[in-house]
């Protein structure tokens, strides 16, 4: 015999699964095309929420002085690497912040958006190998 709370939880989960889309729709479509030179380019559209998803990887140049590449997109996240002005990194995504992970004064400006960058393998404080980090958008520009 099932408890009433178990049946209620099961009905709520079933209702949520029925409402939430499990397959990708045309609003979340991403297409890849190959040009005559053989290079692939990725086109991204906006999702149903109106936020743009990250498209292709791109190079960013550090504009701040001694910018820390952090493990998480928070100002108190562990610094994995430090990059100087003019350093080039590869960014394959942007994390749109919400206030909780904002920064008051990074590289002379405030903001809340972060570039997700690829770095050489680094060990974090738990001994795990980390190959991605975050840089404040105000400390870098797209090349």
């Amino acid at each position: 015999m099932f408890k009433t709370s178990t049946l209620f939880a099961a009905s709520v989960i079933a209702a949520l699964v029925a409402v939430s889309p499990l397959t990708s729709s045309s609003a979340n479509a991403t297409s890849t095309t190959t040009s005559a030179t053989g290079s692939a380019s990725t086109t991204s559209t906006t999702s149903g929420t109106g936020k743009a998803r990250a498209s292709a990887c791109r190079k960013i140049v550090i504009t701040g002085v001694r910018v820390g590449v952090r493990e998480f997109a928070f100002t108190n996240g562990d610094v994995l690497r430090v990059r100087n002005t003019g350093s080039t990194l590869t960014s394959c995504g942007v994390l749109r912040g919400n206030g909780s992970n904002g920064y008051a004064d990074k590289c002379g400006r405030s903001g809340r958006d972060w570039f997700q960058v690829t770095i050489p393998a680094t060990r974090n404080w738990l001994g795990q190998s980390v190959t991605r980090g975050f840089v404040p958008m105000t400390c870098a520009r797209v090349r």
Side-chain angles (χ1 to χ4, degrees):
M1 179 145 227
F2 292 108
K3 292 183 180 179
T4 308
S5 60
T6 306
L7 290 175
F8 177 72
S11 64
V12 169
I13 291 172
L16 290 175
V17 169
V19 172
S20 66
L22 297 177
T23 60
S24 63
S25 65
S26 62
N28 294 330
T30 301
S31 62
T32 303
T33 57
T34 305
S35 65
T37 61
S39 62
S41 64
T42 304
T43 307
S44 176
T45 59
T46 58
S47 64
T49 60
K51 294 184 179 180
R53 293 188 334 195
S55 58
C57 294
R58 56 187 178 217
K59 298 287 185 185
I60 62 168
V61 178
I62 301 296
T63 57
V65 178
R66 294 191 49 81
V67 174
V69 178
R70 300 188 179 271
E71 185 175 7
F72 301 106
F74 291 97
T75 55
N76 60 351
D78 292 336
V79 176
L80 300 172
R81 298 264 182 185
V82 175
R83 295 294 184 232
N84 292 320
T85 306
S87 298
T88 303
L89 296 170
T90 303
S91 174
C92 293
V94 174
L95 179 72
R96 303 287 178 197
N98 57 10
S100 65
N101 61 348
Y103 39 90
D105 187 24
K106 293 290 180 194
C107 303
R109 291 175 292 178
S110 62
R112 59 184 186 190
D113 298 334
W114 300 76
F115 284 117
Q116 182 178 6
V117 296
T118 304
I119 57 173
T122 305
R123 298 237 179 247
N124 66 2
W125 63 280
L126 291 173
Q128 299 168 337
S129 181
V130 179
T131 58
R132 286 187 268 163
F134 294 91
V135 173
M137 280 186 117
T138 57
C139 296
R141 65 177 168 80
V142 177
R143 179 164 49 146

